[in-house]
Amino acid sequence: MIVVNLDIMLARRKMSLTELSQKIDLTLANLSVLKTGKAKAVRFSTLEALCKALDCQPGDILEYRE
């Protein structure tokens, strides 16, 4: 199972979901789906924008768990 740790990264960066949404030009609804782990896929361009805005690596956001 792939776990999305977006909430953890937002807390570490002291950033709200709304701020992130504005920075990467992605709707709040789409970010919310990703944050809650309900997303079925993530585009590389979205992952790249998240990493740039949060100053992190993809592995900081996505985690594999058995």
Side-chain angles (χ1 to χ4, degrees), residues 39-55:
K40 299 290 182 196
V42 180
R43 291 182 181 193
F44 280 135
S45 59
T46 301
L47 187 56
E48 183 179 358
L50 287 169
C51 289
K52 186 175 180 181
L54 295 170
D55 189 28

Side-chain angles (χ1 to χ4, degrees), residues 11-30:
R12 286 183 183 165
R13 301 298 186 253
K14 295 179 174 62
M15 187 183 298
S16 71
L17 201 60
T18 303
E19 287 176 272
L20 181 60
S21 171
Q22 292 168 350
K23 275 189 169 192
I24 66 171
D25 197 29
L26 197 64
T27 67
L28 200 52
N30 285 338

